Amino acid sequence: MIYVVHLCRVVIALVFLAALVSKLRGPAEFVSFMRDLGVFPASAARAAAITIVSAELAVIVLVLTPGAERAGLLLAAALLCGFSLGIAASLKGTQEFAASPKPTRKAAVCRCFGSSGQPLGRHHIARNIVLAVIGATGALVPASGSALTHPAGVVITLFAGALLAFFAIALDTLIALFLPQAVRR
């Protein structure tokens, strides 16, 4: 089971690292995204952005720190559940505004990993839920500390984790590539 824990650590660390780097490269865009979500007052967007960036950094540090990895994986799972709830609330608010006679709000563009140009959709919620399950699994699966790992097993685990993280990070691009416009969202 030690390989399952390592796989979960790799996926979560890489996904959160990519998210953190993209947010730090465009902090103004991320604050704007937080405002566009419409989940909390616009005046709190900057504070929320700083909190999220700090929490993502904490996840990375904890997941990569021996002895603290389970706390990092649980924090990641909790954050991802919170992100899913925030996206769901934003989507619900966007639909309500669209149904009004004078729609005043459009769907926020995903800024999870930079700017994909894709508006938030149910697939973002699904991605976050899958990642939350990966984080929770890594935190809750028993792994014996004295278990020996085989070098080939470690390499396979690292490769599989990197591949899964790539799919999570590139989700918007993959959807744009393979699904027709009408099927998206």
Side-chain angles (χ1 to χ4, degrees):
M1 297 303 263
I2 192 77
Y3 295 115
V4 172
V5 175
H6 290 322
L7 175 77
C8 296
R9 289 175 69 193
V10 169
V11 172
I12 294 299
L14 289 175
V15 166
F16 274 77
L17 180 63
L20 179 67
V21 167
S22 72
K23 289 174 180 83
L24 292 176
R25 285 178 45 198
E29 290 84 8
F30 185 59
V31 171
S32 175
F33 166 73
M34 296 304 290
R35 215 174 283 116
D36 292 346
L37 276 175
V39 176
F40 38 76
S43 60
R46 182 171 167 76
I50 291 169
T51 302
I52 288 172
V53 167
S54 300
E56 288 180 345
L57 178 60
V59 165
I60 296 164
V61 169
L62 289 170
V63 165
L64 297 177
T65 302
E69 61 270 0
R70 292 185 189 277
L73 291 167
L74 285 175
L75 176 58
L79 280 171
L80 289 158
C81 288
F83 295 163
S84 296
L85 291 172
I87 293 169
S90 180
L91 291 175
K92 184 177 184 320
T94 302
Q95 290 169 349
E96 289 171 1
F97 278 107
S100 70
K102 286 186 167 182
T104 57
R105 189 167 147 223
K106 60 181 181 164
V109 173
C110 180
R111 299 264 185 209
C112 309
F113 303 103
S115 178
S116 67
Q118 292 279 24
L120 288 175
R122 293 183 304 255
H123 61 284
H124 293 102
I125 296 171
R127 173 185 59 204
N128 287 345
I129 291 171
V130 168
L131 289 170
V133 167
I134 289 171
T137 299
L140 301 175
V141 164
S144 59
S146 63
L148 294 176
T149 55
H150 192 279
V154 172
V155 170
I156 291 169
T157 301
L158 290 173
F159 178 76
L163 190 61
L164 288 172
F166 166 78
F167 283 118
I169 294 164
L171 179 67
D172 285 342
T173 304
L174 294 170
I175 286 175
L177 214 77
F178 294 110
L179 290 180
Q181 185 68 25
V183 177
R184 293 182 211 162
R185 286 186 51 53

